[in-house]
Amino acid sequence: LVRQLPGPWSAGPRPEPASCNAPRHARVPKAHGELVADDDAASVLDLMEHEQEVERVTAAVGLLPERLQAVVRARMEGRTLAEVGQTFDEPRSRERVRQVEAEAFAMLRRELRSA
């Protein structure tokens, strides 16, 4: 003797699952998926702080002498020390480019600390 359980456990037809893109309700036009938080997404405050930091660093790089600016920008574009050394009128060794880069970063640190 098996008795049928009431409610969602009944053997009757089940409702179709709701899509995350379907509106929840006629009065609330947002979809289910818009209500789920994305833990990996950056907050607006984080994005604004990052943008301000980029502006500060860009302004500080602009204060460097032209040769140091060229080295920093080339390295930030992903060029190797050897590739940067070949861009000068007189080719420089990787070690010399590394020294120039270190000098530029030291100047940037001083500038950013004082700002």
Side-chain angles (χ1 to χ4, degrees), residues 57-77 79 84 87-88 97 100-105 107-108:
V57 170
T58 302
V61 169
L63 298 174
L64 293 174
E66 205 171 306
R67 175 179 63 120
L68 299 181
Q69 281 185 38
V71 169
V72 169
R73 287 198 170 107
R75 291 291 284 154
M76 294 302 111
E77 290 172 357
R79 294 190 187 149
V84 175
T87 62
F88 291 102
V97 172
V100 170
E101 179 184 45
E103 178 185 348
F105 285 142
M107 291 176 77
L108 281 174

Side-chain angles (χ1 to χ4, degrees), residues 4-59:
Q4 181 118 4
L5 295 174
W9 300 278
S10 66
R14 295 179 180 240
E16 288 293 319
S19 168
C20 285
N21 296 326
R24 294 182 318 130
H25 193 274
R27 289 182 292 156
V28 183
K30 293 188 183 234
H32 292 286
E34 293 177 9
L35 300 174
V36 178
D38 182 1
D39 294 334
D40 294 333
S43 71
V44 174
L45 182 60
D46 291 340
L47 293 173
M48 289 175 58
E49 287 175 350
H50 176 72
E51 187 175 320
Q52 289 174 344
E53 193 67 25
V54 168
E55 289 173 2
R56 282 184 61 218
V57 170
T58 302

